[in-house]
Amino acid sequence: MNNKQVDILLSVYNPNEEYLIKQLISLNNQTYPNLKLYIFDDCIKKRCNLDLFEKYITNFSYEVLPYCEENLNYMGAFEKLVQRSDGEYIAFCDQDDIWMDDKVEKCVAYMNEKNIDLVVTDKQIIDENDNVTCSSVRKHSNKNYDNWNTYDDITKYNIFVTYAVGMSIIMKASFAKKSLPFSKYTGHDKWVLACTSTEGKVGYLNLPLVQYRRHGKNVSGVLVGIETKEDYINQRIMPDLKMIEDFKQKYPNHKDLNEIEKFANARRT
């Protein structure tokens, strides 16, 4: 087994303690032998109970990053965690999901087997009571973003539709750091996948190694807060255009840039 250090990057914001405890237990039960947990609390008004980490993370070390006096949003929180990380691999982690015990072990093994720089796993969906509502998103979805394969050229598609949620990603830390600074106009997951698929190789591990909790307070959601066409333009189209500008500055010679810009501008009409 590859024993290089994997840093689990956990961003918390006023978490449901019951959900967080279950997540921490699943992290503590990981079969991979060389882990470290980094935690950043982005909620200024109500800080997370730090005793939870001491109680439930007993098999490897953890570090709580210093608090900030202003909210960074989840993209900024993960950017700060990536900056602090010093391991060879990075695993993004949310506060209310559950990982299978062998998630990290299987992901690192797959990355080494396929010689890739970032891996995305299949996932199960669970509800607020831990009931499995979908045993395999890949198996039950006909969407392209759930059915791509290792070595696929996905960059131009991922620019518009996220091809991986953060908690399903493990990647080489060197590529995570290459992607800094993150664009402020999209999620950290979409950004690191776009950058890594441009500069390296990305892969899909067809195993449901995470349980993705879907409930009323999830940050993500296809049409959360969208009620009118104007809402859609302001909250989806315009941020995409600004993110594409960031991508263009980083990769001005990307082979698909003209196609990306053409499609993005057509969506405004």
Side-chain angles (χ1 to χ4, degrees):
M1 181 183 293
N2 184 333
N3 289 332
K4 293 181 178 179
Q5 182 173 306
V6 176
D7 290 342
I8 301 172
L9 307 186
L10 171 61
S11 173
V12 295
Y13 187 97
N14 190 21
N16 176 307
E17 284 201 0
E18 179 184 353
Y19 294 163
L20 178 59
I21 287 169
K22 291 175 180 178
Q23 174 68 289
L24 294 178
I25 290 172
S26 77
L27 301 183
N28 200 55
N29 288 339
Q30 289 298 302
T31 57
Y32 190 83
N34 189 5
L35 299 172
K36 184 168 182 178
L37 174 63
Y38 289 94
I39 304 121
F40 180 72
D41 185 351
D42 197 36
C43 186
I44 298 170
K45 294 183 179 180
K46 187 178 180 181
R47 297 298 188 185
C48 182
N49 178 6
L50 299 183
D51 292 340
L52 297 177
F53 303 107
E54 182 175 359
K55 182 175 181 180
Y56 292 102
I57 300 298
T58 58
N59 290 333
F60 49 87
S61 63
Y62 69 88
E63 178 182 323
V64 181
L65 273 62
Y67 297 132
C68 290
E69 296 304 317
E70 61 181 23
N71 179 257
L72 301 183
N73 208 323
Y74 73 101
M75 299 91 78
F78 279 111
E79 182 177 77
K80 192 171 187 68
L81 285 160
V82 169
Q83 290 170 338
R84 177 64 188 90
S85 169
D86 61 0
E88 283 78 18
Y89 298 96
I90 279 173
F92 295 106
C93 182
D94 294 330
Q95 65 191 22
D96 51 6
D97 304 312
I98 296 174
W99 291 11
M100 308 309 188
D101 292 353
D102 55 356
K103 175 195 172 180
V104 175
E105 179 182 345
K106 286 188 173 178
C107 284
V108 172
Y110 188 78
M111 291 176 69
N112 285 313
E113 175 191 345
K114 299 297 184 180
N115 190 28
I116 55 177
D117 306 299
L118 179 153
V119 64
V120 177
T121 76
D122 189 9
K123 54 190 177 291
Q124 296 182 350
I125 306 295
I126 58 174
D127 64 16
E128 62 272 17
N129 298 313
D130 299 345
N131 297 311
V132 177
T133 59
C134 178
S135 60
S136 164
V137 169
R138 186 178 180 91
K139 182 178 178 181
H140 292 93
S141 173
N142 61 1
K143 304 296 186 182
N144 290 338
Y145 51 78
D146 292 321
N147 287 282
W148 57 281
N149 298 303
T150 297
Y151 309 130
D152 280 357
D153 184 4
I154 62 170
T155 306
K156 66 182 179 183
Y157 307 111
N158 175 72
I159 289 288
F160 298 100
V161 181
T162 305
Y163 268 48
V165 289
M167 38 71 79
S168 67
I169 293 174
I170 294 184
M171 64 186 302
K172 291 180 180 178
S174 58
F175 279 81
K177 292 180 184 296
K178 282 182 183 179
S179 70
L180 297 173
F182 292 170
S183 172
K184 295 179 173 61
Y185 303 106
T186 192
H188 64 289
D189 39 20
K190 182 189 284 190
W191 183 253
V192 298
L193 189 55
C195 294
T196 307
S197 62
T198 297
E199 296 197 46
K201 298 176 183 178
V202 299
Y204 196 104
L205 176 53
N206 192 12
L207 293 172
L209 296 176
V210 285
Q211 292 186 317
Y212 185 29
R213 191 183 300 279
R214 299 300 295 167
H215 53 82
K217 295 183 180 179
N218 286 95
V219 173
S220 61
V222 176
L223 291 176
V224 173
I226 304 297
E227 298 180 1
T228 67
K229 182 178 180 180
E230 184 178 0
D231 288 340
Y232 186 75
I233 291 173
N234 290 335
Q235 297 182 41
R236 293 292 188 270
I237 305 299
M238 296 310 297
D240 275 355
L241 289 170
K242 292 176 181 178
M243 184 267 283
I244 290 166
E245 282 300 312
D246 289 344
F247 185 79
K248 182 178 180 179
Q249 288 187 22
K250 192 171 185 66
Y251 304 110
N253 299 315
H254 192 280
K255 64 183 180 60
D256 295 323
L257 192 57
N258 288 338
E259 185 179 355
I260 290 169
E261 289 185 303
K262 183 178 178 179
F263 182 77
N265 285 311
R267 295 171 74 205
R268 301 178 68 176
T269 60

